[in-house]
Amino acid sequence: MLAKVGEAELQKGGAKKRKLMAEDGERGEQKKRHYEEKKRPKARGDGGRNRLDALSVGYFRRVGERLSEGFEDDEEREMFVKNVLTEVKGKASLVATDQTGSITLERLLQLSSPEQVGEVLAELGGESGSGFKEVSCDRCGGHVVESALRQMSRWEEFSQKDPSKSSEDADDDDEEEESSGVLETQVLLLSQAVRENSAEFIRHIHGTHVVRTLLHVLGGCVGPPRTETHPGGKEQRAAPQLTDFEIPTSFWYELKSLTETLMENINLSVTDAISSTVFQTMLTVCHRKRPKLCKQLLKRTMEYLTSRSSAPGVSPLLVFLKDQASSRLIETIIQLAHLSLLRDLYKNHLKGSLVDLALHPIANFPIQRLTAASAKYKLFLKLFDEMIQGMEAVLAAGHMGVIVQLAESCAESGERQDEMMRCLLNAFHCAEPGSRHVCCLPLFMSLLTYEVYYQSDTTEGSTQKEVPLTSICYHGSRLVQALAKFKERSHLLSSLRTLSPSDLLTMACNSFGSHVLQALITTSSDKGRGKILKRLEGQYLQMACSKVGSRMLEAVWNCASLSQRQSIAQELVSSESKLRSDQFARHVWAKFALSHFAHRRAHWQEIQTGESKKRKLFSDFLE
């Protein structure tokens, strides 16, 4: 009975945390348990290895519950951690590779001292570190090793001596330095194990995460803990935010040794998607912490990629750019590359092929990175002149990221902005006759041509019927936000003035359209902003009562002048009961200090004037 209860709780708690649910979310507990038991040996690759008994599983489940309750003071926490780690001693590998045990051990390591973390790693790796491979390549054990590695970010807390301490505390300082040295030694042993079995580590779906965390730790920067995604879920492209920390001198040399070993397996980076992520992490960490080393690695990687055999007269990069694994690596290389490398990449490999690559479903992403990376150099002019020739083809292929990035690079560089706008007007069929220019904003936001949007034929000339603004898409929003940064925005502003009040309200309360309206308002002069706000009069209450519109209204408020704020407040204050009762508008009421506006007008003006001065001072400081 105890075994049954322990197993049921294991599936209920551990499986939920690891997100290893069965594909059919509506299956009963028995089917889920059967599915996990069937899958578990394959996932771990451990055959018939002994597992934690039901009593131990229950114990670690209760430990996890106790950790969730918290502790009254540090002494109580330290005592609890010490007692639990005593129970772990001698069976750390079993605990680390068990679902419930690994989750609890991960949390426990975050509360442990470096010495305690080092002792756990020492047991997992053995005297020579030979045991690290088995644990690191385990579905659950890999998480524990990662958690232990991440505790190295607290090394400085224990290694630095407090100058305020007396000489009597010198022995304690030595003990602290020695204890943190235990963890340092184990990290180096793990790195040695990775170097000795590098190919196996970087090709293993779980081992690769340990290697990536190790690279971060050896470099002295860690990101947020990883979370497993659901099968079929979209992978986030955004790079995680990294936090720097001090590292021992030994890590400085070990990182160099580890990168040298990894470079011996450079062939895997272009053939295996899992291995490719390790090389991307290696380059990113070195770029952040070891720029000179990164430059060498980038050069050697590009030399390898360009030395592969291909068709006569065709660069091998054109093949790699169309491969899922190697294209991601090339994206990273482009993002981190220096000017000479970018020039060589374009001149010797990509020149004349940019439009074809932009039309490819995979290769268009590296082209976007190249467009972004070249924005601050004159190289961008060559890229732009080549890519602009295929704008309509790229639009037809639906690769709007390429077009958006081209516009953003034009805004950043300050170059080719007029040409970009002309090409867009032509592509959306609103360039001729000139009267169609005022239709550009809804066309850009919806990414529809003039004929499709207004459901008309080109033979009808400049006449068009009024169509309510309904379709605003993500890439259309980003495109207009980029165009709003251009020096010449007359087409956008003229088009905005033709929109009806209901269309403006639709924009303000739409998750994509609100960013467009905010960009146009905040980048306008005081006079231009006033004209836009004049057209929004009568819509402020509905905006305030909308989840998106209320945020949009706050953004407008932050850049509005005192007279413009008075106009907004005057319209809102007459609907006090509605604003106070609405879940979104009540925040607007509070942030705009509308109670003061209604009853203490002079005091409200003092507050707004003070905020305006602070904002101006801050703006001057940034400039």
Side-chain angles (χ1 to χ4, degrees):
M1 182 64 185
L2 180 60
K4 290 182 179 180
V5 174
E7 182 66 11
E9 291 295 337
L10 172 64
Q11 295 297 328
K12 183 178 178 182
K16 182 178 180 181
K17 180 73 177 285
R18 292 293 192 201
K19 299 183 179 180
L20 294 173
M21 302 296 289
E23 293 181 0
D24 185 359
E26 297 180 356
R27 290 181 181 178
E29 288 297 323
Q30 290 182 347
K31 288 186 178 182
K32 286 192 290 184
R33 183 159 56 249
H34 173 72
Y35 177 81
E36 292 296 337
E37 289 173 353
K38 184 179 178 181
K39 285 286 185 182
R40 211 175 283 158
K42 291 183 180 180
R44 296 190 178 189
D46 56 3
R49 191 201 316 176
N50 293 330
R51 302 183 186 282
L52 280 181
D53 58 86
L55 287 176
S56 297
V57 169
Y59 169 76
F60 285 106
R61 185 178 64 252
R62 291 192 297 274
V63 169
E65 293 170 354
R66 179 67 185 89
L67 290 173
S68 299
E69 296 173 3
F71 302 93
E72 292 184 0
D73 51 45
D74 292 345
E75 185 178 354
E76 181 185 1
R77 184 196 70 233
E78 291 170 3
M79 183 63 69
F80 181 81
V81 170
K82 182 178 180 181
N83 290 337
V84 176
L85 289 178
T86 300
E87 295 296 323
V88 172
K89 193 169 185 179
K91 53 182 177 181
S93 293
L94 277 178
V95 176
T97 54
D98 178 83
Q99 283 186 348
T100 301
S102 66
I103 293 170
T104 303
L105 187 55
E106 275 187 77
R107 298 174 61 189
L108 205 65
L109 291 174
Q110 297 170 15
L111 304 177
S112 304
S113 68
E115 181 182 19
Q116 292 171 324
V117 176
E119 289 173 353
V120 172
L121 279 178
E123 185 175 340
L124 292 175
E127 186 175 348
S128 62
S130 57
F132 279 129
K133 179 185 172 184
E134 184 178 6
V135 178
S136 298
C137 294
D138 181 87
R139 173 169 53 87
C140 298
H143 283 273
V144 174
V145 176
E146 281 187 73
S147 182
L149 283 171
R150 292 175 58 81
Q151 304 318 307
M152 199 65 213
S153 61
R154 297 189 283 131
W155 173 77
E156 188 181 13
E157 299 174 18
F158 294 85
S159 63
Q160 277 190 339
K161 293 184 178 181
D162 188 348
S164 63
K165 289 185 177 182
S166 63
S167 58
E168 297 177 359
D169 297 324
D171 292 339
D172 294 335
D173 287 334
D174 292 338
E175 289 178 6
E176 287 178 350
E177 288 184 0
E178 184 178 349
S179 67
S180 60
V182 175
L183 179 55
E184 177 187 346
T185 301
Q186 292 306 313
V187 173
L188 294 174
L189 272 177
L190 172 60
S191 183
Q192 179 182 327
V194 171
R195 285 190 280 112
E196 292 172 353
N197 305 274
S198 57
E200 291 87 346
F201 264 96
I202 66 176
R203 283 188 295 186
H204 196 282
I205 191 170
H206 304 304
T208 186
H209 286 286
V210 172
V211 179
R212 290 159 67 183
T213 302
L214 176 63
L215 285 165
H216 277 114
V217 170
L218 291 177
C221 56
V222 292
R226 72 179 172 104
T227 55
E228 293 187 9
T229 56
H230 291 287
K234 288 187 177 180
E235 184 178 346
Q236 295 294 325
R237 279 184 168 270
Q241 294 295 319
L242 300 178
T243 303
D244 296 323
F245 62 92
E246 291 295 325
I247 57 173
T249 307
S250 58
F251 284 14
W252 185 265
Y253 299 102
E254 184 60 31
L255 179 61
K256 173 71 173 175
S257 301
L258 181 57
T259 56
E260 285 294 331
T261 303
L262 291 176
M263 288 302 292
E264 295 173 5
N265 297 285
I266 185 64
N267 61 304
L268 295 177
S269 70
V270 296
T271 58
D272 186 84
I274 296 175
S275 301
S276 178
T277 60
V278 174
F279 284 84
Q280 293 171 49
T281 300
M282 177 183 70
L283 293 173
T284 303
V285 170
C286 290
H287 181 264
R288 184 183 181 93
K289 308 297 290 190
R290 302 281 296 276
K292 290 183 179 179
L293 176 59
C294 178
K295 195 170 182 178
Q296 297 171 10
L297 295 175
L298 288 172
K299 182 180 178 181
R300 290 169 61 183
T301 305
M302 285 299 297
E303 286 175 351
Y304 174 81
L305 292 174
T306 55
S307 65
R308 301 300 91 190
S309 59
S310 61
V314 178
S315 170
L317 276 183
L318 298 180
V319 178
F320 290 133
L321 283 166
K322 298 175 182 178
D323 177 76
Q324 188 71 55
S326 54
S327 67
R328 288 291 184 91
L329 177 63
I330 295 174
E331 278 188 61
T332 302
I333 291 172
I334 291 172
Q335 288 175 303
L336 307 179
H338 44 281
L339 177 57
S340 60
L341 184 56
L342 292 175
R343 282 175 176 164
D344 177 71
L345 181 64
Y346 173 70
K347 182 179 179 181
N348 298 324
H349 305 284
L350 305 182
K351 189 175 182 179
S353 304
L354 293 182
V355 175
D356 290 338
L357 293 170
L359 293 171
H360 192 273
I362 295 175
N364 78 89
F365 291 104
I367 296 305
Q368 292 180 44
R369 305 295 168 264
L370 180 62
T371 306
S374 64
K376 53 183 175 289
Y377 306 118
K378 291 183 178 180
L379 174 63
F380 171 69
L381 301 178
K382 297 178 181 179
L383 295 177
F384 179 90
D385 292 340
E386 181 177 337
M387 292 180 63
I388 204 67
Q389 305 300 322
M391 177 175 285
E392 289 209 42
V394 175
L395 281 169
H399 296 165
M400 278 308 301
V402 176
I403 306 299
V404 170
Q405 185 57 65
L406 204 58
E408 289 179 347
S409 294
C410 285
E412 182 182 348
S413 66
E415 301 287 349
R416 298 291 195 268
Q417 296 181 358
D418 292 339
E419 292 93 328
M420 184 69 190
M421 181 59 78
R422 274 199 304 272
C423 287
L424 286 171
L425 292 175
N426 285 320
F428 286 90
H429 303 171
C430 58
E432 296 294 339
S435 57
R436 288 188 179 185
H437 290 177
V438 295
C439 306
C440 67
L441 185 57
L443 300 182
F444 292 165
M445 289 193 296
S446 59
L447 295 181
L448 298 174
T449 61
Y450 181 92
E451 292 77 22
V452 175
Y453 187 88
Y454 290 104
Q455 299 178 358
S456 64
D457 297 326
T458 55
T459 56
E460 295 182 16
S462 61
T463 60
Q464 77 267 349
K465 56 186 178 181
E466 186 174 331
V467 178
L469 184 63
T470 53
S471 57
I472 305 175
C473 64
Y474 167 74
H475 281 110
S477 172
R478 282 192 56 198
L479 175 62
V480 179
Q481 290 177 63
L483 297 177
K485 299 175 186 175
F486 282 16
K487 298 171 185 175
E488 178 56 51
R489 301 185 297 273
S490 58
H491 290 312
L492 297 178
L493 296 175
S494 297
S495 184
L496 182 67
R497 285 194 288 270
T498 65
L499 297 180
S500 65
S502 60
D503 286 342
L504 292 175
L505 181 62
T506 299
M507 283 183 66
C509 298
N510 179 278
S511 57
F512 302 136
S514 62
H515 291 289
V516 172
L517 192 56
Q518 181 180 333
L520 292 172
I521 291 175
T522 54
T523 56
S524 297
S525 62
D526 287 341
K527 185 177 179 181
R529 188 181 303 118
K531 290 180 179 179
I532 299 174
L533 295 181
K534 187 73 174 176
R535 293 185 55 78
L536 284 172
E537 288 181 358
Q539 311 291 337
Y540 295 134
L541 177 60
Q542 290 174 277
M543 289 170 60
C545 295
S546 164
K547 179 180 179 180
V548 175
S550 60
R551 293 174 182 170
M552 161 66 195
L553 191 56
E554 289 178 27
V556 170
W557 181 271
N558 290 334
C559 68
S561 64
L562 180 59
S563 61
Q564 291 165 351
R565 288 187 176 188
Q566 284 178 326
S567 178
I568 296 173
Q570 189 66 52
E571 180 178 329
L572 291 175
V573 78
S574 59
S575 305
E576 179 177 353
S577 59
K578 174 68 175 175
L579 291 172
R580 285 180 175 272
S581 60
D582 187 86
Q583 59 176 326
F584 305 118
R586 64 185 181 186
H587 299 293
V588 172
W589 180 272
K591 289 181 179 179
F592 293 4
L594 295 182
S595 293
H596 286 70
F597 181 84
H599 306 293
R600 295 181 292 277
R601 184 71 59 89
H603 182 49
W604 180 87
Q605 286 184 336
E606 288 180 10
I607 295 174
Q608 303 306 319
T609 303
E611 289 183 0
S612 179
K613 288 180 179 178
K614 286 181 182 178
R615 195 166 59 252
K616 187 177 184 305
L617 283 172
F618 186 68
S619 177
D620 293 342
F621 175 75
L622 289 178
E623 291 176 0

